[in-house]
Amino acid sequence: MSFQKLSYEVKDNIAHIGFGYNSESSMTVLDEDTLLELNEALEEVKKGEGAGIKGLIFFSHIPRVFLAGADIKMIQKLNTEVEATSGAEKGQELYNKIDDLSIPTVACVDGFCLGGGLELALSCDHIIASDDSGTKFAVPEVKLGLLPGFGGTYRLPKKISLPGALDMILTGRMIDAKKAKKLGLVTEIFPKENLVKVASRYFKKGAGTKKRSSPMDALKENLEHMASENFLSRKLIFQKAREGVLKKTKGFYHAPLKILDVMEQGASKGRSSYLALEAQGFGELCVTEQSKNLIHIFFMHENSKKYDGAKGEGSVLKVKRGAVVGAGTMGGGIAWLFANNGQSPILKDLNNDALELGLKQSSANFSGALKRRKMSKAEYERKQLSISPQLGFDGFNSVDLVIEAVVEDMKIKKLVFGELENHVRDDCLLTSNTSSLSVTEMAKGLKKPERFAGLHFFNPVNRMPLVEIITHDKVAPETVEALYKWCVKVGKTPIVVGDGPGFLVNRILMPFLNEAAYLLEEGVHPEELDQACLNFGMPMGACRLMDEIGIDVLVKVGKIMEEGLGPRARACGISKAAFDSGLLGKKTSKGFYLYDAKGKPGDLNSEIEKFLPNMGSKNMDETSIQMRVFLPMINEAARILSDGIVSKASVVDLGLIFGTGFPPFRGGLLKYADSEGLDRITGALERFASEVNEDRYSPAPLLKNLVAEKKKFYDI
Ligand code: NAD
């Protein structure tokens, strides 16, 4: 047989199977053709096993990627449980062939070894790893609502113990080669240049290189494995793991619970019965809407790494150095981002006290990484010292990108840009981190508006992945492309949005918070309201979120939304009443809830009764509460699409998931709307419009059109 996807060759009596052969891609995955060829190659090995062939090596032709796992598009095509179960069984049979070879087998791992790739390596006697920092191991299936179905849940606990395996499988966490060696996953670490060469030492006679040598040994091993683990301690481990999963996922995610079921039930079984359970579990998960939604998000996120917007004819600037104007909460965070990516930023403010605060902010982010041992002390110092705090414009002519993060005031921002234009190069990109002001208006004062755009980060910058790139009619496509590519380079998820009140994320979030305030006014209890949001899957309830954002900010943004969008965005009086009572939320330790000195939320604040006299007087079932707060978000998203703020439903979903933590298992706001049925949603909006408020609930024309045409948001 001639191999196209992998190389097969026998050298000095050792069979070598190389992945990523002939590939032009920088990744290699296990697609259908590769799996077929792998089967053929293993048949060849079996033919020569013990005779001409004395050992088997797996390696990759692609630098820094051993195998990135099974092809997710192949998984996506599995439509029935039977099909998916049988797909897993086929993979298991293939890997059992490796496991059952009587000759020693070694996986030489340089780079990513993920999912099905790690499961393959686990079927070998030894995994040896390169010392490259890019060598990483993980079984990330749980993140796609799946379980490792090619024998990973069976082999990993045997190799690294049950608690270690549960941690890796339930979190999908990536570990580096050093950690893998510590856990016993990797036998040895070598410089990557020698990896395949040194593997030959595992084939020397009597080197104790084979984990077992006959089928009888396999049976013995199974029996030993079943008996070795104390039943009671195992039960306790699973019980603790289950509690941990429920605490972390609040029971919303099926995959981790199914993984625990399979691993616990399988623990007392031999290989074939165990693997049957694993394949069945994979089959069940594979066809769930939740897994389909998580895979949808995975692809949305992957696609967002490539710029597919308008292209200009000019060159696209590659950002190497940046500057931040305004060293406050956001400025300090953005300076950290530049510094963390080796782009030695300038940080400018009006006085030294402000600069100190900004530096403290960035240093706090770095110390977090230091504490988690994600960074060495030397690296921490080098990066923190790479930020140049200053009051003047020295060095601004050497930067490629300036991000303005001064106070939210149009006049001040225009003054800042007016001055900036005199100190930067002609090709330097200028951006504003405004959260609510019109970038079209800001661009009006500029000599070169084509190199200016909004660049809206979310707070805190180190944790929130989303960045909105806000365009206006004078911006050059090269500017948008350069900003997009910079965001991706520094690890952010950018979306390109048009200018308008609240841009994308805040425009959709505001109706949610505003409706929550109206429900409070009607007498719904704040804790019931928050619980309903949590039970929908939101990371926090609406009242907690209002406290987190700050009631003063909400009042300000609410006004802007009302001015820009008209009566449907009329702000409920509750936030103004809270503001007037001095309850600004977490920042003043008092809002709807009370907060301790560290900002940890406690009980409900009894002072809110002052402006919520009928608190708790209205009984509303949870679904009604959820519909009242989530449907206006969908309605506003429909208007955003027809206003051309963004052109695709997937951008709305990406923005809401990465900017607000909208529950990923629902696939995004509009994916959720599509699956609930737009006719039902429109019907409920119409009912609320007649019962509650015409302006706030009147269905958007686009929504009505989609219903009339029997289409979904994702058909647009
Ligand atoms: P902040 O009040 O914490 O910091 C603003 C800083 O700008 C202060 O240090 C101030 O001294 C400085 N400053 C004012 N005028 C200046 C000038 N002419 N030159 C240099 N520095 C000047 O504000 P923040 O919360 O960091 O917000 C900054 C911007 O980011 C605003 O536009 C805001 O809307 C936006 N934003 C804020 C958040 C948030 O959650 N805080 C989130 C997203 C966007």
Side-chain angles (χ1 to χ4, degrees):
M1 134 140 213
S2 74
F3 295 101
Q4 307 292 327
K5 293 283 203 155
L6 48 82
S7 62
Y8 175 72
E9 129 177 79
V10 181
K11 272 193 290 190
D12 301 330
N13 296 101
I14 306 298
H16 290 67
I17 296 179
F19 297 107
Y21 183 57
N22 277 337
S23 171
E24 281 172 13
S25 159
S26 55
M27 270 290 156
T28 173
V29 292
L30 289 161
D31 54 18
E32 278 172 64
D33 291 343
T34 309
L35 287 168
L36 280 174
E37 290 191 14
L38 179 60
N39 189 37
E40 292 294 328
L42 289 172
E43 287 302 321
E44 291 295 314
V45 175
K46 275 175 77 175
K47 272 188 226 160
E49 186 184 2
I53 298 178
K54 307 247 182 293
L56 169 62
I57 286 177
F58 289 100
F59 71 103
S60 166
H61 292 276
I62 300 179
R64 302 190 127 209
V65 185
F66 176 71
L67 266 178
D71 181 6
I72 299 170
K73 288 198 180 115
M74 179 175 77
I75 296 175
Q76 220 177 6
K77 281 193 222 143
L78 299 168
N79 280 324
T80 65
E81 202 176 305
V82 174
E83 224 183 324
T85 306
S86 130
E89 282 166 353
K90 283 191 190 128
Q92 293 174 345
E93 274 166 35
L94 195 58
Y95 288 10
N96 284 350
K97 275 187 193 173
I98 304 172
D99 201 357
D100 293 341
L101 286 170
S102 61
I103 52 171
T105 49
V106 180
C108 302
V109 176
D110 172 45
F112 290 114
C113 178
L114 312 177
L118 178 52
E119 292 178 286
L120 180 138
L122 281 166
S123 316
C124 297
D125 298 313
H126 294 280
I127 303 174
I128 59 171
S130 89
D131 58 359
D132 192 286
S133 61
T135 295
K136 306 268 185 205
F137 299 86
V139 263
E141 285 81 353
V142 70
K143 295 184 178 173
L144 300 178
L146 299 169
L147 56 77
F150 285 8
T153 68
Y154 173 71
R155 294 192 175 94
L156 194 59
K158 289 177 154 204
K159 189 104 181 163
I160 66 169
S161 85
L162 182 58
L166 281 173
D167 179 53
M168 279 187 80
I169 297 173
L170 291 174
T171 61
R173 186 198 319 276
M174 257 192 216
I175 58 169
D176 61 15
K178 260 195 203 159
K179 172 96 189 180
K181 174 139 189 277
K182 214 168 153 194
L183 286 173
L185 180 60
V186 158
T187 312
E188 279 180 283
I189 299 174
F190 299 101
K192 65 172 165 189
E193 297 74 23
N194 302 339
L195 205 55
V196 177
K197 236 199 240 160
V198 293
S200 61
R201 69 172 63 170
Y202 292 93
F203 306 117
K204 289 200 181 109
K205 253 196 169 156
T209 53
K210 190 66 203 155
K211 55 183 179 237
R212 72 181 101 85
S213 50
S214 72
M216 262 326 272
D217 281 356
L219 187 64
K220 215 170 116 213
E221 182 192 282
N222 267 332
L223 293 171
E224 275 167 9
H225 171 68
M226 280 148 56
S228 69
E229 294 203 5
N230 176 308
F231 172 75
L232 272 179
S233 72
R234 196 198 300 145
K235 201 170 163 59
L236 209 68
I237 292 172
F238 279 108
Q239 191 182 324
K240 276 197 90 179
R242 197 164 272 113
E243 280 166 17
V245 162
L246 287 173
K247 190 167 170 221
K248 197 165 153 216
T249 67
K250 300 183 188 102
F252 286 124
Y253 290 84
H254 310 315
L257 295 171
K258 177 57 80 185
I259 287 169
L260 286 168
D261 288 349
V262 166
M263 291 180 74
E264 189 166 16
Q265 283 172 35
S268 55
K269 295 192 178 352
R271 188 176 83 180
S272 61
S273 332
Y274 185 110
L275 291 181
L277 270 179
E278 186 192 74
Q280 178 64 32
F282 178 85
E284 285 169 24
L285 288 173
C286 199
V287 293
T288 56
E289 190 173 358
Q290 192 167 92
S291 172
K292 305 259 175 234
N293 282 342
L294 293 171
I295 290 177
H296 160 71
I297 294 170
F298 171 82
F299 281 122
M300 235 166 35
H301 189 229
E302 282 302 297
N303 290 338
S304 79
K305 291 178 186 162
K306 288 163 237 140
Y307 176 73
D308 70 351
K311 293 256 182 193
E313 284 175 2
S315 60
V316 175
L317 188 73
K318 224 172 164 183
V319 175
K320 293 193 202 81
R321 192 174 185 214
V324 186
V325 183
T329 310
M330 297 306 285
I334 298 167
W336 164 84
L337 185 67
F338 275 121
N340 200 32
N341 285 280
Q343 299 179 335
S344 323
I346 296 173
L347 179 61
K348 176 182 156 31
D349 206 296
L350 295 174
N351 56 64
N352 285 322
D353 288 349
L355 284 175
E356 218 163 281
L357 275 178
L359 287 174
K360 244 192 190 166
Q361 174 77 35
S362 61
S363 151
N365 293 349
F366 283 130
S367 347
L370 192 66
K371 261 192 218 146
R372 292 192 303 276
R373 295 180 185 205
K374 291 247 154 61
M375 184 181 268
S376 67
K377 182 100 183 39
E379 199 183 356
Y380 160 77
E381 277 166 8
R382 185 169 45 79
K383 287 189 168 172
Q384 180 67 19
L385 287 175
S386 77
I387 304 175
S388 307
Q390 60 187 58
L391 304 177
F393 284 99
D394 288 353
F396 268 71
N397 57 359
S398 71
V399 303
D400 308 301
L401 165 64
V402 180
I403 301 175
E404 166 278 309
V406 306
V407 282
E408 188 76 339
D409 181 308
M410 181 63 87
K411 258 198 202 148
I412 297 180
K413 287 194 191 275
K414 279 189 167 177
L415 278 174
V416 167
F417 282 113
E419 213 176 348
L420 263 172
E421 281 198 305
N422 300 324
H423 296 276
V424 295
R425 285 193 326 259
D426 272 1
D427 63 343
C428 173
L429 305 164
L430 297 183
T431 62
S432 171
N433 181 41
T434 178
S435 48
S436 58
L437 301 174
S438 160
V439 297
T440 310
E441 180 57 34
M442 232 178 273
K444 278 184 191 158
L446 292 171
K447 285 183 221 150
K448 286 169 77 65
E450 62 276 13
R451 45 107 163 241
F452 167 78
L455 202 58
H456 182 208
F457 289 84
F458 291 74
N459 188 17
V461 177
N462 63 328
R463 291 225 307 270
M464 298 297 286
L466 192 75
V467 180
E468 291 180 325
I469 299 175
I470 302 134
T471 61
H472 53 93
D473 51 9
K474 297 229 163 59
V475 68
E478 292 87 345
T479 300
V480 180
E481 186 173 348
L483 292 174
Y484 197 99
K485 289 184 168 165
W486 175 75
C487 287
V488 173
K489 180 128 197 282
V490 297
K492 293 290 173 192
T493 303
I495 55 173
V496 179
V497 310
D499 194 13
F503 314 127
L504 173 83
V505 172
N506 287 344
R507 178 160 162 191
I508 297 179
L509 196 60
M510 280 309 279
F512 166 70
L513 297 174
N514 207 23
E515 282 311 315
Y518 278 115
L519 283 178
L520 294 177
E521 197 177 60
E522 286 175 33
V524 173
H525 196 280
E527 285 174 326
E528 268 174 38
L529 170 59
D530 276 5
Q531 197 54 49
C533 299
L534 291 173
N535 290 350
F536 185 82
M538 291 301 276
M540 62 176 76
C543 300
R544 268 283 292 117
L545 184 57
M546 288 195 251
D547 279 356
E548 199 72 27
I549 295 172
I551 309 293
D552 50 337
V553 176
L554 283 177
V555 172
K556 204 166 163 183
V557 178
K559 204 159 156 251
I560 292 171
M561 301 300 282
E562 192 174 334
E563 280 163 13
L565 302 176
R568 76 171 186 279
R570 189 177 308 116
C572 169
I574 294 294
S575 27
K576 179 75 172 51
F579 176 76
D580 290 341
S581 311
L583 308 179
L584 303 191
K586 192 169 151 183
K587 63 175 88 167
T588 51
S589 302
K590 275 179 183 185
F592 289 98
Y593 294 89
L594 298 171
Y595 297 82
D596 70 12
K598 284 189 175 157
K600 201 170 161 228
D603 291 339
L604 205 64
N605 178 9
S606 58
E607 288 176 66
I608 59 175
E609 283 174 37
K610 270 193 273 177
F611 52 86
L612 291 178
N614 55 350
M615 185 167 90
S617 61
K618 184 154 185 163
N619 274 331
M620 197 181 266
D621 65 87
E622 188 168 284
T623 311
S624 303
I625 296 178
Q626 290 169 341
M627 293 304 102
R628 284 280 305 270
V629 292
F630 291 112
L631 297 198
M633 292 173 90
I634 297 168
N635 207 18
E636 198 58 44
R639 292 181 200 274
I640 278 178
L641 284 168
S642 30
D643 289 355
I645 297 292
V646 295
S647 57
K648 286 189 290 194
S650 59
V651 183
V652 172
D653 285 350
L654 204 61
L656 272 267
I657 290 168
F658 288 90
T660 70
F662 187 85
F665 66 89
R666 296 198 183 271
L669 179 72
L670 297 185
K671 194 87 189 156
Y672 161 73
D674 278 352
S675 68
E676 283 295 297
L678 299 190
D679 49 349
R680 284 182 56 212
I681 285 172
T682 309
L685 280 168
E686 277 164 349
R687 205 175 63 247
F688 291 147
S690 65
E691 286 169 8
V692 184
N693 183 294
E694 182 63 35
D695 291 330
R696 295 197 327 259
Y697 284 102
S698 190
L702 175 69
L703 204 43
K704 286 185 172 170
N705 290 345
L706 289 173
V707 173
E709 292 169 19
K710 294 195 170 23
K711 281 189 177 160
K712 297 180 169 194
F713 280 116
Y714 270 81
D715 294 331
I716 302 173

